[in-house]
Each structure stands twice: as C-alpha cells, then as structure tokens.
Amino acid sequence: MTARFEISSEPLVVDDVTQKVVSRNAGAITVFIGTVRELTKGKKTVSLEYEAYPAMAIKMFEQIEREMHEKWPEAQLAITHRVGKLDITDIAVVIAVSSPHRKIAYEANEFAIDRIKQIVPIWKKEHWEDGTEWIGDQLENVPYRAGAPKEELDD
Amino acid sequence: MTARFEISSEPLVVDDVTQKVVSRNAGAITVFIGTVRELTKGKKTVSLEYEAYPAMAIKMFEQIEREMHEKWPEAQLAITHRVGKLDITDIAVVIAVSSPHRKIAYEANEFAIDRIKQIVPIWKKEHWEDGTEWIGDQLENVPYRAGAPKEELDD
Amino acid sequence: MINVLLFAHLRETVGEEKLVIEAEKMSVSDVKAWLEARYQLELSTVMSAVNEEFAMDHTIVQSGDVIAFIPPISGG
Amino acid sequence: MINVLLFAHLRETVGEEKLVIEAEKMSVSDVKAWLEARYQLELSTVMSAVNEEFAMDHTIVQSGDVIAFIPPISGG
C-alpha cells in the first residue's frame, strides 16, 4: 500500500488519496480539497508556489493522525500536499477521512486541516500581477513553545 | 454542463461530482462519500438495494440547494445518489460543496447530507444472510406536516 | 383518472409500482382508504406527495395528478 | 558539523537552502546568532526544528544534527 502521507510535486488526483481510507467498516468518507482561488482579500492571485520541508511535514502528518486517533479511534486518515507552482483551481491539498459514521468523518477532517495549518512546515508564495510574497502570519512574534503555533485565520 | 443533481443506476465516480462545483473563487471543496459498510449495529450486511422516486428526489435536492443558499450564498452544491444493488464499500451517494472558505464548505456539506436523510425520497433495502428489510424509521408515526420528517439517527 | 406511485415495501406488498384510480377528484385520505380496502396496507402514518411535493391528508388530488406514497426514507 | 536548513524567505535571503557550521555543539540560539551575524536575517521570532521535531531556543544541537528554521507556515 502506498504511504498515507505524501508531499508531491505532481498534480494531485483526489481519488488516489480517497482510496487509501476505503474500508469495509467505513460508512462515510469525507474529502477536503484545498484549491487555489483567484481572489484573497480582494487581491488577484496569478499563481502560487508551495515549498515544504518534506521529512518533517510527513512526521507532522503522522502526529496529526495520532492526535486524531486519540479523539476518534475508528477514523482513518490520508493526506497529500502538493509542492511547486500551482495555477488557479489547482489542488494544493487533499485530506481523506473514513469512519463508520459520518459525524466523525466531518469533525476529524476539519481537525486535520486546522492542524495542518498550525504545525506542518509548508509555505505558500503568492504571485500577484505586481509582485510576490511568502505568506505566513506576518504578525507572529512568539516562537513555538509547548503548544501549537497560532492558527492562521485567513481561510 | 451536466445537471448538478442526479439519480444514477451506474457506479458513481467521485470526481464527476466534484468537477461540477470547481470554481475560480473556491478555495475549498468538501466531498462526502457515503459507502456501504459491512456492519450496522452488529449485523452483517451482504448487499444493499436502493430505490428512488427520481423526479421528486431531484426536486428535493433543489430544495436543499435553496436552503443552503439562504444560509451560505457563496456555496455551490452537486449531489449524485446511486440506485440499484450495491456491494460492501460501493458508493451510495456523493455530495460536493465548494466555497471560498473552508468552514462553510464543511458546514454546508453536512447540512446537505442531514437534509437528504430527512426529505429525499430514497429507500434502502438491507440484504443480510438471513433475510431482507426495507430500512426506515420503523418507529415513525407522525406523517410529514409543515416541517421535516424526523431525522434518522442510525448513521 | 388518478395515478398512484408506490415504493419500497408498499410496492412489494401491492406487487405494482403504479396503479390508476378511475376518479376525477379525491383527497389523499380517500386514496389511502381506497388502497387499504384492496391491499394489506396500513397507510395512516405514511407520507404522501402530490405531483412531487409533500402533501397532507386533506390535500385534493385531481384527475391527471400523480400521488406517491413515501414510506420512511433511508437514503444517503 | 551542524546542518542548517532554510526555507521560504529565509532560503531566498540567504541564497542557499542548506548551510554547514563546523561546530560540535551549539544551542538553537547560538545558531540563530551565527546566521544573523552573516546574513540580513531577524530570527528571534522564527521557530526551529532539530532533527524534524520542533525545538526551543535552548535546545542543544550536536554535530550531525539537522537544524531547520521554520518561518510562519502557510500550507493547506
């Protein structure tokens, strides 16, 4: 079986990620597909670039899985995050969660994307018509201590 | 463009449903995949059979879309429900929701499946090793009046 | 004439998915009574739809209309 | 020797994605000071990871370890 957590420089295929969580005991699979949108806070994105620290990103995906299993032992998780240059509507991340019951599949999936935005070392560079910028919490001024970094609230 | 709401007797292809909600303004797509699970309340399902009242089911999907737009005007919705005989892990329903922001994509998707289970005329017949039964709320004894029928809580 | 659609266990009990009643005008209750008089059915708690919209027991069904009986649903 | 990984704007500012410091043992703070002395960087608020685990300013980095600086993340 393919690894359930991946960083990929190739276009993502949603079904490849979903297949990893299919189970005879799953009545529900939720999939989150993060896509590149054109407008953020009124500014027009031309393209995006994602960079990752792959070895650590995979470890953080595994940590998210452990945290998820503490809350929802029956849920199964698979995540692939894209790196490289992406155009509008391209897929940046796919998260698939299966569970016997649907409520947990929604909750665990949303938990996973929230935690990805907190602890997984991946960076996005916006390319606008008039320039570029590495996105992050520009106001962040407290280094990571015991807990998680502050959550990004921009999407 | 293909209709966003469908009843299909062919195996469902998740990506066909997801593609219908792709948008340059969508930063998030959530997909719910309802699959046939083997065990329900400890009883082993061999296969399932779904029957629909297609014309009315499509109207009810459209009603769910209207209700969704009242709450979340920017969300887009597509639903396909399977009918006929299904085996374990086969897909019974696919719901795709896109939205500029992820929170709404999760909420609107869960709203859609909850409402499907309340108002869309589709019936499931369980085939066990020792018999069959049409599933429904066997305790339901109040006909539909102004509101919605009681929600099914079994999955 | 009034078209009656049956689904799930109602369809199986009656052995037909569609019936026709030769009448100009009936209430939903009348149609339920008509069916109960002919088949082993208990329809007092079954929902109905007239022309694909949920209906009430006192809703009037006209010739040409389609009335469907909707047992407790279990889709999704 | 200590391996230093740089990402995003830190990588672009330094012009390298990897640096090597010839040292047996340093704290994360020491590495930050070493980088700040050589490049136009302000690292006091930047997170770090030692061998792929988040680390503290007082965490000790040994020869052979990998220390990575993690600017505010923006994946997902």
Side-chain angles (χ1 to χ4, degrees):
Chain A
M1 177 175 151
T2 321
R4 279 176 300 103
F5 304 112
E6 293 186 76
I7 298 291
S8 169
S9 54
E10 299 297 318
L12 303 193
V13 178
V14 174
D15 203 48
D16 289 350
V17 184
T18 307
Q19 284 303 322
K20 295 175 189 174
V21 300
V22 169
S23 149
R24 295 177 72 83
N25 278 323
I29 298 173
T30 52
V31 186
F32 177 81
I33 304 166
T35 53
V36 179
R37 69 167 181 268
E38 188 161 35
L39 291 174
T40 296
K41 294 168 189 159
K43 200 158 183 184
K44 197 168 174 176
T45 298
V46 175
S47 66
L48 281 186
E49 196 182 325
Y50 278 99
E51 178 174 334
Y53 178 8
M56 183 172 170
I58 300 297
K59 281 195 179 179
M60 293 297 114
F61 288 146
E62 289 166 350
Q63 176 178 326
I64 292 169
E65 181 187 44
R66 284 192 299 275
E67 293 172 357
M68 187 194 77
H69 280 154
E70 279 173 29
K71 290 168 177 277
W72 304 287
E74 286 172 310
Q76 291 188 47
L77 176 67
I79 304 169
T80 302
H81 202 296
R82 177 85 183 273
V83 289
K85 184 174 172 298
L86 279 76
D87 295 318
I88 308 300
T89 79
D90 280 356
I91 300 173
V93 63
V94 178
I95 304 167
V97 172
S98 68
S99 162
H101 301 281
R102 70 182 189 277
K103 190 84 193 164
I104 286 173
Y106 283 107
E107 287 180 7
N109 198 304
E110 193 166 8
F111 172 81
I113 182 67
D114 287 347
R115 291 297 280 155
I116 288 170
K117 288 174 178 280
Q118 289 168 346
I119 67 168
V120 180
I122 298 175
W123 301 271
K124 171 167 77 176
K125 189 179 193 176
E126 291 261 9
H127 292 245
W128 299 296
E129 278 162 357
D130 60 353
T132 67
E133 189 180 9
W134 285 101
I135 305 300
D137 183 353
Q138 313 298 351
L139 300 175
E140 177 71 57
N141 54 13
V142 181
Y144 188 90
R145 298 194 194 284
K150 210 169 64 164
E151 182 176 7
E152 300 285 299
L153 294 171
D154 66 335
D155 59 354
Chain B
M1 178 174 151
T2 320
R4 278 176 302 105
F5 305 112
E6 292 186 77
I7 299 291
S8 170
S9 55
E10 299 297 318
L12 303 193
V13 178
V14 175
D15 203 48
D16 289 350
V17 184
T18 307
Q19 284 302 321
K20 296 174 188 174
V21 300
V22 168
S23 150
R24 295 177 71 83
N25 278 321
I29 299 173
T30 51
V31 186
F32 176 82
I33 305 166
T35 54
V36 179
R37 68 165 182 267
E38 188 159 35
L39 292 174
T40 296
K41 293 167 190 161
K43 201 158 183 182
K44 198 167 171 175
T45 299
V46 175
S47 66
L48 282 186
E49 198 183 323
Y50 278 99
E51 178 174 333
Y53 180 7
M56 183 172 170
I58 300 296
K59 280 195 179 179
M60 292 298 114
F61 289 147
E62 289 165 351
Q63 176 178 326
I64 292 169
E65 180 186 45
R66 285 193 300 275
E67 294 172 357
M68 185 192 79
H69 279 154
E70 279 173 29
K71 290 168 177 276
W72 303 287
E74 287 172 310
Q76 291 188 49
L77 175 67
I79 303 169
T80 302
H81 202 297
R82 177 85 182 275
V83 290
K85 184 175 172 297
L86 279 76
D87 295 318
I88 308 301
T89 78
D90 280 356
I91 300 173
V93 62
V94 178
I95 305 167
V97 171
S98 67
S99 162
H101 301 279
R102 72 181 188 277
K103 190 84 192 163
I104 285 172
Y106 283 107
E107 287 180 6
N109 198 304
E110 193 167 8
F111 172 80
I113 183 66
D114 288 346
R115 291 297 279 155
I116 287 170
K117 288 175 178 278
Q118 289 169 345
I119 67 168
V120 180
I122 298 175
W123 300 272
K124 171 167 76 175
K125 188 179 193 175
E126 290 260 8
H127 292 245
W128 300 295
E129 278 162 359
D130 61 352
T132 66
E133 188 180 10
W134 285 101
I135 305 301
D137 183 353
Q138 313 299 351
L139 300 175
E140 177 71 56
N141 56 11
V142 181
Y144 187 88
R145 296 193 194 285
K150 212 171 63 164
E151 182 175 8
E152 300 285 301
L153 293 171
D154 68 333
D155 61 349
Chain C
M1 83 192 195
I2 289 163
N3 302 290
V4 182
L5 300 184
L6 300 165
F7 297 98
H9 77 267
L10 299 178
R11 173 179 55 72
E12 290 183 348
T13 301
V14 171
E16 301 283 348
E17 59 184 40
K18 191 176 170 182
L19 299 172
V20 172
I21 305 177
E22 297 297 339
E24 280 303 306
K25 193 187 236 185
M26 295 172 87
S27 70
V28 168
S29 294
D30 294 339
V31 179
K32 285 184 176 180
W34 187 94
L35 280 165
E36 286 175 338
R38 284 161 183 78
Y39 304 97
Q40 282 290 102
L41 293 175
E42 162 52 51
L43 295 172
S44 61
T45 65
V46 170
M47 292 191 283
S48 63
V50 174
N51 300 333
E52 300 156 10
E53 299 286 350
F54 281 111
M56 318 281 275
D57 275 354
H58 57 73
T59 301
I60 297 301
V61 192
Q62 313 267 2
S63 180
D65 284 349
V66 176
I67 175 169
F69 289 101
I70 314 283
I73 60 181
S74 48
Chain D
M1 81 193 196
I2 290 163
N3 302 289
V4 182
L5 300 185
L6 299 165
F7 297 98
H9 77 268
L10 299 178
R11 174 180 54 72
E12 289 184 348
T13 302
V14 171
E16 301 282 347
E17 59 185 42
K18 191 175 171 184
L19 298 172
V20 172
I21 305 177
E22 297 296 340
E24 280 303 306
K25 192 186 235 187
M26 294 171 87
S27 69
V28 168
S29 294
D30 292 340
V31 180
K32 285 184 175 180
W34 187 92
L35 280 164
E36 286 175 339
R38 283 162 183 76
Y39 304 97
Q40 280 291 99
L41 294 175
E42 161 52 52
L43 296 172
S44 61
T45 65
V46 171
M47 291 192 284
S48 63
V50 174
N51 300 333
E52 299 155 12
E53 299 287 351
F54 281 110
M56 318 280 276
D57 274 354
H58 57 73
T59 300
I60 297 301
V61 192
Q62 312 267 3
S63 180
D65 284 350
V66 176
I67 175 170
F69 289 101
I70 313 283
I73 60 182
S74 49

